[in-house]
Amino acid sequence: MSVSSALVRDARTSRTRRALLGAGYRRVLRPALFASHGGDPEEVHDATLARLAQLGRVPALVRALGRLTSVPSRPVEAFGIRFPGPVGLAAGLDKGARAVTAWQAMGFSHVELGTVTAHAQPGNPRPRMFRAPASGGLVNRMGFNNDGATAVAARLEAAGVRRGNRAAGIPVGLSLGKTKATPVEDAVPDYLASFRVLAPHADYVAVNVSSPNTPGLRSLQDGAALRELTGALVAESRRSANPVPVLVKVAPDLDEQALDEVLEVCTSTGVQGLVATNTTLARDGLAAPDAWLAAEAGGLSGAPLRERALRVVRHLSSRADLPVVGVGGIMTAGDAEAMFDAGARLVQLYTGFIYAGPALVADITARHADRAEEPR
Ligand SMILES: Cc1cc2nc3c(=O)[nH]c(=O)nc-3n(C[C@H](O)[C@H](O)[C@H](O)COP(=O)(O)O)c2cc1C
């Protein structure tokens, strides 16, 4: 058999495997998961994460699943890191680094753990996570429920995850947030405390100033506050012989002037990349059966967020050379392609992964690799 016919056959096998993976998830696994635990999304989330954590502790299983989800990929360089492919798991799904070694088996090329705060905190009262299935969305007001920086660092240490060692199989980002009980005026020492504990375990750090669910947090995106915060974190990072790249995650609800201010501050303080975007406070794009969610407080993600996130990524990418990680409303490989066209260097998924499973990760990775070969 000639090399070219072998390649064509491989591509077909990979496409068939992805189609089966996608259909199996959407038709069998997703309905079973969504109906389990009385249909409570957060309980389903916790139980699934616990399973993934178990899986991640069995290297043979990780390898076997990895073979099922793996597709040809094109590496991406950003903020001094070589990513094996373009798709990461967005922050918030594995807040406590419980399944850190399992994400490579789902086909991801990086994972953003957290958001972690300096002090452990319970988050908002339940229910605080809602599905909008007719709209391909989620609404959440989790409020940074997490075990705190010291406990998460201990978990990473136990898993052997340290900066640059690829013990998770893929680069690991850590998302840092402000402890709810810390007044916003004292945000800098609060973030610094988490940074000192977690940076040794992170390939990059994402400064989350854009969650809508911690009172006052988004005010840290304002010029002077953001300058003080990012200045302090970048200075702390540069104290190390091997500085960890610092990224900033922004909200989709900022106007162009505010985005320009974020860009100016980030560029001048030495921030190395942007993650755009977090969830939105807007409620447009909810289909009629999900309209009741307009009255639930929290951030909306998934398909209704797509256009907003895309607009922010396009604006940021057109104004500066900082690499942008595009996140928000990526539900298909075509959505990811639009993000790359808007200037994103990497993409991340949360809601799309819940609705479409690992096949979506594989589809995006394969399409991104194919694009390299197409004449442009
Ligand atoms: C339940 C839930 C929890 C989240 N928690 C966090 C978080 O802790 N930190 C963060 O930066 N983003 C968090 N996010 C936002 C996602 O990382 C992502 O930016 C957003 O959902 C848009 O992407 P998507 O449309 O692919 O979901 C959360 C999203 C959801 C749905």
Side-chain angles (χ1 to χ4, degrees):
M1 187 187 300
S2 72
V3 173
S4 61
S5 58
L7 285 176
V8 170
R9 198 200 52 185
D10 278 0
R12 269 201 219 114
T13 323
S14 147
R15 253 201 310 275
T16 312
R17 185 160 38 87
R18 279 187 276 136
L20 285 173
L21 204 61
Y25 182 82
R26 280 195 314 277
R27 296 207 192 130
V28 183
L29 192 54
R30 186 180 74 185
L33 281 174
F34 278 21
S36 64
H37 298 275
D40 180 314
E42 185 167 350
E43 287 200 17
V44 176
H45 173 271
D46 291 348
T48 310
L49 198 61
R51 286 275 165 83
L52 282 169
Q54 285 171 336
L55 182 160
R57 286 192 280 274
V58 186
L61 260 182
V62 171
R63 278 195 300 276
L65 261 173
R67 275 195 293 276
L68 201 65
T69 57
S70 91
V71 289
S73 65
R74 175 160 58 98
V76 178
E77 302 272 347
F79 14 95
I81 301 171
R82 187 176 167 84
F83 293 85
V87 194
L89 178 69
L93 209 154
D94 191 1
K95 288 181 193 284
R98 290 187 179 275
V100 62
T101 46
W103 299 114
Q104 60 171 325
M106 300 290 112
F108 287 109
S109 300
H110 75 275
V111 51
E112 192 166 305
L113 303 169
T115 293
V116 185
T117 55
H119 301 283
Q121 56 183 34
N124 289 321
R126 296 186 187 204
R128 52 192 180 178
M129 190 196 283
F130 308 89
R131 291 187 201 114
S135 324
L138 293 171
V139 169
N140 92 87
R141 51 169 178 267
M142 306 302 286
F144 294 166
N145 53 308
N146 80 106
D147 301 327
T150 307
V152 174
R155 209 168 282 142
L156 288 165
E157 184 65 40
V161 176
R162 296 190 76 82
R163 176 132 47 91
N165 76 355
R166 296 290 178 272
I170 50 178
V172 170
L174 269 146
S175 168
L176 309 185
K178 182 185 76 65
T179 310
K180 185 178 181 189
T182 301
V184 77
E185 304 75 53
D186 300 333
V188 172
D190 191 76
Y191 277 88
L192 274 173
S194 309
F195 184 93
R196 290 187 184 117
V197 174
L198 287 167
H201 301 285
D203 294 306
Y204 74 85
V205 163
V207 186
N208 182 359
V209 283
S210 48
S211 164
N213 301 316
T214 295
L217 190 87
R218 283 183 165 193
S219 70
L220 294 170
Q221 293 174 116
D222 298 346
L226 187 63
R227 189 176 303 281
E228 196 192 341
L229 178 60
T230 54
L233 290 170
V234 171
E236 182 65 26
S237 161
R238 287 180 180 163
R239 268 190 208 115
S240 147
N242 178 17
V244 65
V246 174
L247 278 57
V248 168
K249 183 165 179 180
V250 300
D253 305 320
L254 297 177
D255 62 22
E256 293 192 348
Q257 196 184 338
L259 288 172
D260 288 342
E261 187 172 46
V262 166
L263 266 182
E264 189 279 311
V265 170
C266 288
T267 313
S268 62
T269 54
V271 165
Q272 285 187 263
L274 297 161
V275 186
T277 70
N278 215 310
T279 55
T280 179
L281 286 168
R283 285 295 182 269
D284 29 280
L286 280 177
D290 301 323
W292 63 278
L293 282 168
E296 290 292 345
L300 173 63
S301 58
L305 170 61
R306 179 171 42 222
E307 289 309 314
R308 267 169 201 274
L310 208 54
R311 212 177 323 129
V312 171
V313 168
R314 192 174 295 119
H315 185 80
L316 294 172
S317 309
S318 68
R319 294 293 168 113
D321 292 333
L322 283 184
V324 178
V325 183
V327 49
I330 300 177
M331 312 300 282
T332 65
D335 295 339
E337 205 160 2
M339 271 291 188
F340 294 125
D341 288 340
R345 184 85 60 93
L346 296 159
V347 294
Q348 292 180 342
L349 312 174
Y350 190 129
T351 308
F353 184 63
I354 302 296
Y355 282 99
L360 175 58
V361 186
D363 283 346
I364 298 171
T365 305
R367 178 92 69 103
H368 178 264
D370 285 348
R371 272 163 65 107
E373 284 158 20
E374 288 163 8
R376 313 211 81 208

